Amino acid sequence: TARVRYSRRADAFRALGHLLTRAFFAPFRGQGGAANAQASGMAMVEELVVETMGVKVDASRGAVPRVDKLKQQMVFLALAGYNTLLIYMEDTYEVPGEPFFGYLRGRYSREELEELAEHADELGMEIIPAIQVLGHLEQVLHWPAYAKVRDTPNVMLAADDERAFRLLEKMIDSVVTALGSKRIHLGLDETFGLGAGNYRASRCQRVTPHECQHPPDASTIFQTHVRKVLQLCANMGVRPMMYSDMLFSLMPVPHDELIQAEKKAAKGQPVTEEEDGVADIYEEDEPNWLVDDLEGDELHTRRARTNTRRRRLSPEAQKLAWAHATLGDHDVDLVGWDYSSADPDHYQALVQKHTPLLRHRRRFVLSLGLWTWNRFWAALPWVMDSLDAAVPAAVKNNVTHMYAAMWLDDGAEVAPVSCIAALSYFAQLVRHQPEELLRGDMKRLAEQTFTALGQQSVSFVDVLDTAAVDSAPGIPTGWGTTNTAKWLLWEDPLLHHLSAQVAEKDMALWYQQLADHLETRLKLSGATAVGDPDKDPHPLGMPAALARALSLKRDLMRHLQEAYASQDTNKLAAIIGLKVVQATRAKGNVVGNASILEDHNMSMTNATNHSNSQLDGTARYMKKEKPIIRRTSTPFSARDHVLQHAADSEGGLVGIMVNALDALKKEHYTLWMANYKAFGWEVLEIRYGAQRARLERAGELVLAFLLGEVDQIQELEMIHSMQNQPVYKDKLYALPVMCWARASTPAMPSLKADTVCPL
């Protein structure tokens, strides 16, 4: 019999999770008594360190979690001690009367959200809808139906536009009603370009010509918008949350009359009360009085005015005054986010930066990142380093509301099991400060949570070791947030524009060893075949296939570059599954009974011997099929030699790599469908298809070169001239973070020249 005392239902599930974990690793074995319970860890008293301990699930970057899978994850979260779930939905929720809102994006229906809310209530958890009400709405605004509420491609018109306000009202009401929420996260971050698009034309339709010629600046537009949205939430009885970054980054622009007042004051001339106007253009030695005196929209000082010379307020004080005016007297939670540092002082400064804004009933919420975005595997070593710095700093500064964000930017490629491991570590860290336990002890506790509550078929150590997929030889464990596996996989196999970053490292061997290790772990676990409809895919199946494909691709690209540079006919032929059987003295001569290749310009898909193939989904080639030319034992003439297929060559390195890519895609697809709705997979399938097409093109160009149809392979000529010169020399260890667009080709026109990876 176990006795649990708790104040909230969520705390009861946390206690149950603790009991289950202790029982899993230290069973009673029939021995009762208080002493044995204490020794086994069954008896414990835990005081709350944080009031809100949450996790933010991203359902907007292509992957929308299946309802059944999300409910299963909520059980794990409750047992691990989480009491809040934020679901980030830019457009993936149903809005009545808006059929194009979330169209073909896997949006949640009202019924699905109600089902999730009911399940959360049973677990004592709160679901907070996290939406966007200004920026990050490109998935909505690109539809013609929303052209009239579009300011820029990703920012909607501010709420002073009646059509935009009505849409916002419907958006907020739909999620709040479906989830029965008392809180809502409004986003309001990164609203870059606000007012720079259609805002002016829209405004000119409802103001005087004079006002039309003097549009407000971005800070004024943002302030007006936030006031309206916060009031809307107040009318609905919902407490809003918002990111704070724009409160600190937008700078109010003084009006002309205030600038004139400054000039007059500087000259010692009398300044009228009207010119004196807003207090935020002046400064005293100690501007703290400004903070204490401002009330809501009131920007006037209550100090006696004088016509003597006064100095201008510092930019920091101006921003503070403007931020107070923007927020008014509304109850609002300000969310500060930062995922970039392993320095406790960095996070302490973030908390203290918000302190002057925490007036009325405002609260600070700390958002930390689990580095699940823009990669195939969470950057777990870095996650632990950054959390070790952030959580103690937050607790030391009395932060009682925090959550961990699992963003899925750039395609949601990440394996979910690595996210569960990160959540396990965060759950323990909040309750056991690093001052109390060493890193090894913390990892042990996270391992217990991960294994006992996450019901995983792999260990926490396995998941941590697999993070090596984004590392390289000679790189310290846990260094940085590079996503090496991503940009090496999607790098164009002919252009090689990123390979120079790792030219000094044996990445083929690195990934071969990792693949061997993961495949051994798979065999020991008795993993089932890919695509078993009755079982979830093995957590290590996808990273094992990824490591194998990366190893083979590094081999292919190195051999291709070296063989072409040396004009080695034998090696070039072997790359596409051919061999030189006889040399000729004259170009194009036919030796003996050799015949010209039959239809050698056929595409790889059509060149397959379909009579011997068993097509499976989109995989067009079975093992040992020759992907460049039709398999035949008859030799054929080439530039100055005779070629024929090599026995059992599997199509050379190109064919082997194509097979490995197909295997990886199959693993990835199975993993996706086990966790997410079908929508969004098409983005990744396009990426796999593009990579496969470029591999085919590489093989076809090699064949054309051998046949004398082209005198050179232009892409490889350019690579040879660059002599493996790295692109990102200024990066420590020269391992950058790259998105798919920049990795797949250096000629992506939609990206700025200095953009490494837009998030």
Side-chain angles (χ1 to χ4, degrees):
T1 302
R3 178 176 296 176
V4 176
R5 293 187 178 92
Y6 59 93
S7 58
R8 301 180 302 180
R9 185 180 299 182
D11 301 331
F13 277 94
R14 158 62 185 161
L16 177 59
H18 178 82
L19 292 173
L20 290 173
T21 303
R22 297 278 68 80
F24 188 92
F25 288 98
F28 282 119
R29 301 185 186 279
Q31 299 179 13
N36 287 327
Q38 187 73 37
S40 65
M42 284 288 189
M44 67 95 162
V45 176
E46 184 176 275
E47 295 182 3
L48 287 176
V49 178
V50 296
E51 181 180 342
T52 298
M53 182 175 175
V55 56
K56 192 171 194 176
V57 174
D58 191 345
S60 292
R61 269 42 180 268
V64 177
R66 287 170 27 183
V67 171
D68 62 326
K69 185 62 64 172
L70 190 53
K71 289 169 65 176
Q72 179 182 328
Q73 292 174 351
M74 288 164 63
V75 173
F76 162 76
L77 292 172
L79 294 175
Y82 292 90
N83 57 26
T84 306
L85 173 66
L86 296 94
I87 307 179
Y88 182 66
M89 302 172 287
E90 292 174 354
D91 66 322
T92 50
Y93 56 97
E94 181 182 5
V95 178
E98 303 292 337
F100 283 99
F101 199 94
Y103 179 55
L104 295 178
R105 291 256 293 147
R107 66 188 173 205
Y108 288 119
S109 66
R110 180 187 178 95
E111 292 73 22
E112 287 177 319
L113 292 179
E114 289 174 345
E115 182 180 347
L116 290 172
E118 182 179 356
H119 188 65
D121 184 64
E122 294 172 349
L123 297 171
M125 295 183 69
E126 177 187 12
I127 295 184
I128 300 176
I131 65 173
Q132 288 287 353
V133 295
L134 191 56
H136 288 294
L137 288 172
E138 57 271 15
Q139 294 290 353
V140 174
L141 298 176
H142 78 88
W143 293 111
Y146 297 102
K148 293 184 178 180
V149 295
R150 180 171 60 232
D151 183 3
T152 68
N154 67 322
V155 178
M156 71 180 297
L157 289 174
D160 54 352
D161 181 275
E162 183 62 28
R163 292 165 299 190
F165 183 80
R166 288 198 302 267
L167 177 60
L168 286 172
E169 193 172 24
K170 292 169 64 175
M171 289 162 57
I172 295 173
D173 180 70
S174 64
V175 288
V176 167
T177 303
L179 290 170
S181 305
K182 298 300 182 183
R183 286 193 282 178
I184 183 171
H185 197 318
L186 300 171
L188 289 167
D189 60 313
E190 299 178 333
T191 58
F192 308 125
L194 175 63
N198 297 322
Y199 176 83
R200 180 172 179 174
S202 172
R203 180 174 177 272
C204 285
Q205 295 177 4
R206 59 181 189 276
V207 299
T208 66
H210 175 74
E211 291 174 316
C212 177
Q213 295 301 316
H214 298 83
D217 62 284
S219 65
T220 303
I221 299 172
F222 184 83
Q223 185 178 80
T224 302
H225 180 82
V226 171
R227 287 174 176 175
K228 284 181 172 289
V229 175
L230 293 184
Q231 185 60 53
L232 181 60
C233 291
N235 296 342
M236 294 183 179
V238 182
R239 184 183 181 95
M241 305 168 68
M242 64 175 286
Y243 287 117
S244 61
D245 56 303
M246 299 309 291
L247 293 175
F248 295 105
S249 61
L250 282 176
M251 184 66 185
V253 179
H255 296 293
D256 292 342
E257 59 268 25
L258 299 181
I259 296 175
Q260 182 64 30
E262 277 192 287
K263 293 179 179 179
K264 294 175 69 174
K267 296 177 180 179
Q269 299 175 358
V271 179
T272 66
E273 183 176 352
E274 181 179 359
E275 288 174 330
D276 202 17
V278 181
D280 66 351
I281 67 168
Y282 295 112
E283 159 180 79
E284 292 188 350
D285 292 334
E286 295 293 336
N288 293 333
W289 60 268
L290 179 64
V291 180
D292 296 333
D293 199 51
L294 290 173
E295 294 290 339
D297 294 343
E298 184 180 0
L299 294 179
H300 294 278
T301 65
R302 299 181 190 274
R303 292 195 162 198
R305 305 287 186 179
T306 65
N307 291 330
T308 60
R309 179 177 178 179
R310 286 175 277 184
R311 291 176 296 169
R312 195 172 191 265
L313 277 175
S314 67
E316 291 73 19
Q318 290 184 58
K319 288 183 181 180
L320 184 59
W322 173 80
H324 274 297
T326 299
L327 299 173
D329 59 356
H330 293 289
D331 297 343
V332 59
D333 293 341
L334 301 179
V335 182
W337 58 273
D338 198 306
Y339 322 133
S340 61
S341 178
D343 181 2
D345 292 341
H346 182 86
Y347 295 98
Q348 180 165 322
L350 175 66
V351 176
Q352 293 174 348
K353 179 180 179 180
H354 287 77
T355 302
L357 286 176
L358 302 182
R359 301 196 57 211
H360 303 290
R361 288 175 296 277
R362 300 173 195 157
R363 301 182 302 198
F364 175 71
V365 179
L366 178 61
S367 172
L368 301 172
L370 299 185
W371 283 95
T372 50
W373 54 93
N374 196 26
R375 61 192 63 246
F376 287 98
W377 204 258
L380 292 172
W382 175 256
V383 168
M384 292 189 293
D385 285 346
S386 60
L387 292 181
D388 283 352
V391 173
V395 173
K396 181 180 179 180
N397 286 271
N398 301 314
V399 175
T400 59
H401 304 275
M402 63 180 75
Y403 66 80
M406 297 194 302
W407 297 116
L408 297 178
D409 299 64
D410 200 36
E413 296 160 327
V414 72
V417 68
S418 63
C419 306
I420 298 299
L423 288 170
S424 299
Y425 189 84
F426 181 57
Q428 291 298 331
L429 186 62
V430 170
R431 291 170 174 81
H432 303 91
Q433 299 302 305
E435 298 84 20
E436 303 172 15
L437 296 173
L438 299 176
R439 168 65 68 84
D441 296 322
M442 199 69 70
K443 286 167 62 177
R444 177 179 53 80
L445 292 171
E447 166 89 53
Q448 293 175 356
T449 299
F450 177 79
T451 304
L453 305 181
Q455 299 181 329
Q456 300 296 327
S457 56
V458 294
S459 70
F460 183 84
V461 174
D462 283 335
V463 179
L464 190 59
D465 289 345
T466 306
V469 74
D470 279 323
S471 190
I475 305 301
T477 301
W479 171 84
T481 57
T482 179
N483 55 350
T484 315
K486 175 164 183 164
W487 49 264
L488 286 180
L489 180 69
W490 299 135
E491 179 190 22
D492 189 281
L494 277 169
L495 300 179
H496 296 217
H497 61 296
L498 298 175
S499 290
Q501 305 299 137
V502 290
E504 304 298 322
K505 307 178 187 300
D506 191 346
M507 298 303 295
L509 179 61
W510 175 266
Y511 284 122
Q512 177 187 326
Q513 293 173 340
L514 179 59
D516 290 344
H517 170 72
L518 294 176
E519 288 168 0
T520 299
R521 299 298 296 165
L522 281 169
K523 291 177 182 178
L524 291 175
S525 68
T528 58
V530 176
D532 188 332
D534 299 322
K535 296 184 179 180
D536 284 342
H538 194 281
L540 297 183
M542 195 267 278
L546 174 62
R548 183 62 65 195
L550 286 168
S551 174
L552 293 170
K553 185 177 180 183
R554 299 313 306 161
D555 260 340
L556 166 63
M557 295 174 72
R558 177 173 61 84
H559 282 95
L560 178 58
Q561 189 172 347
E562 291 176 355
Y564 183 79
S566 63
Q567 299 289 288
D568 191 318
T569 302
N570 290 284
K571 289 183 178 180
L572 285 171
I575 285 173
I576 57 174
L578 303 177
K579 68 177 181 178
V580 178
V581 294
Q582 187 172 352
T584 64
R585 296 191 177 184
K587 180 178 178 181
N589 282 358
V590 179
V591 178
N593 295 323
S595 60
I596 300 298
L597 170 65
E598 177 186 0
D599 199 11
H600 60 257
N601 285 322
M602 292 174 64
S603 68
M604 290 171 64
T605 300
N606 293 331
T608 305
N609 187 341
H610 293 287
S611 63
N612 295 325
S613 296
Q614 298 176 9
L615 299 183
D616 183 4
T618 59
R620 302 295 186 184
Y621 308 97
M622 302 302 293
K623 192 175 181 180
K624 298 185 181 180
E625 284 294 336
K626 309 306 174 224
I628 302 303
I629 56 178
R630 189 184 300 278
R631 181 171 177 78
T632 174
S633 60
T634 305
F636 55 91
S637 64
R639 182 186 302 266
D640 55 359
H641 42 260
V642 176
L643 302 173
Q644 75 175 26
H645 281 286
D648 298 325
S649 68
E650 300 186 33
L653 291 178
V654 172
I656 294 172
M657 178 57 206
V658 167
N659 288 332
L661 186 70
D662 286 345
L664 171 58
K665 186 183 76 169
K666 191 172 183 180
E667 284 279 3
H668 203 165
Y669 176 72
T670 304
L671 187 66
W672 180 285
M673 295 305 295
N675 290 278
Y676 307 121
K677 296 185 178 184
F679 302 95
W681 171 254
E682 74 279 0
V683 174
L684 299 189
E685 192 147 68
I686 288 170
R687 295 180 184 182
Y688 281 108
Q691 183 68 198
R692 198 180 202 282
R694 293 298 290 168
L695 286 167
E696 294 175 357
R697 177 61 58 199
E700 290 165 356
L701 285 173
V702 170
L703 179 60
F705 179 75
L706 290 172
L707 293 174
E709 296 177 345
V710 297
D711 292 329
Q712 62 178 8
I713 300 177
Q714 297 179 46
E715 297 90 339
L716 300 183
E717 289 285 341
M718 180 61 70
I719 294 169
H720 181 64
S721 68
M722 290 292 287
Q723 298 180 340
N724 281 329
Q725 182 175 342
V727 178
Y728 301 100
K729 295 180 180 180
D730 59 328
K731 299 286 183 179
L732 183 62
Y733 301 115
L735 297 178
V737 176
M738 304 291 292
C739 61
W740 169 78
R742 185 59 75 197
S744 60
T745 171
M748 189 62 68
S750 62
L751 300 181
K752 296 180 180 178
D754 60 348
T755 299
V756 174
C757 187
L759 299 181

